[in-house]
Amino acid sequence: MENLPKIRGDIFVSLAIGQLLIGKQENFDGPLGQIFLKSIRERWSQLENASPEDISVFMNEAYSQDQISGVISVIKGKFFENLVETHENADGDEWTALLHEDESYPGSDMIMTNIETGETMELFLKSLNSI
């Protein structure tokens, strides 16, 4: 598995928003598609219960082609946070992750909890292209 190419998150979000805008909602049935839609719903509160079709209509009506790069930037950060939370909660170790509901929570984005010891730590997440 280590030899398989990895797709960068910013490329995935760009491709996914393109698919969404042209009405290819069937492409969001898998886990990454669901995390992508969750990220949009969390960034735009009016879309909290929206179907993929409703999200597509909203994005097409609310944003011009020139504004889509800004939309991608907004989604990309939340998508990364949701991926980290999902990965940590599925990796089978003794740590669980929970993103803060309040995105303006000072000093951290996520609380990690050790389910065996009760130890907690707060993390600030940053998506970068370099170490």
Side-chain angles (χ1 to χ4, degrees):
M1 289 292 233
E2 287 300 315
N3 294 328
L4 293 175
K6 294 178 174 69
I7 187 165
R8 289 183 14 205
D10 55 339
I11 294 172
F12 175 84
V13 171
S14 297
L15 293 171
I17 196 72
Q19 292 293 293
L20 185 68
L21 292 173
I22 62 172
K24 298 285 187 175
Q25 286 81 19
E26 68 274 8
N27 292 339
F28 298 99
D29 292 339
L32 287 179
Q34 291 301 302
I35 294 170
F36 172 76
L37 293 173
K38 175 183 178 188
S39 300
I40 291 174
R41 291 178 181 120
E42 290 176 354
R43 284 289 188 224
W44 283 269
S45 59
Q46 68 270 39
L47 299 175
E48 181 179 6
N49 298 309
S51 69
E53 294 82 4
D54 293 338
I55 294 170
S56 177
V57 169
F58 172 83
M59 292 293 176
N60 275 302
E61 291 177 354
Y63 300 101
S64 69
Q65 285 185 338
D66 294 337
Q67 295 171 313
I68 292 301
S69 63
V71 170
I72 291 168
S73 293
V74 169
I75 298 168
K76 187 171 53 172
K78 191 62 182 175
F79 181 72
F80 172 73
E81 291 175 356
N82 284 326
L83 278 177
V84 170
E85 180 184 47
T86 300
H87 172 74
E88 181 53 48
N89 290 328
D91 68 1
D93 67 10
E94 68 275 8
W95 289 93
T96 61
L98 181 64
L99 290 167
H100 294 296
E101 283 189 33
D102 177 3
E103 291 189 14
S104 63
Y105 187 89
S108 69
D109 297 310
M110 171 184 289
I111 297 176
M112 300 284 295
T113 303
N114 185 307
I115 57 174
E116 294 176 5
T117 67
E119 177 186 4
T120 62
M121 67 175 132
E122 295 187 23
L123 298 177
F124 176 74
L125 303 174
K126 191 71 174 169
S127 173
L128 303 170
N129 287 334
S130 68
I131 335 181

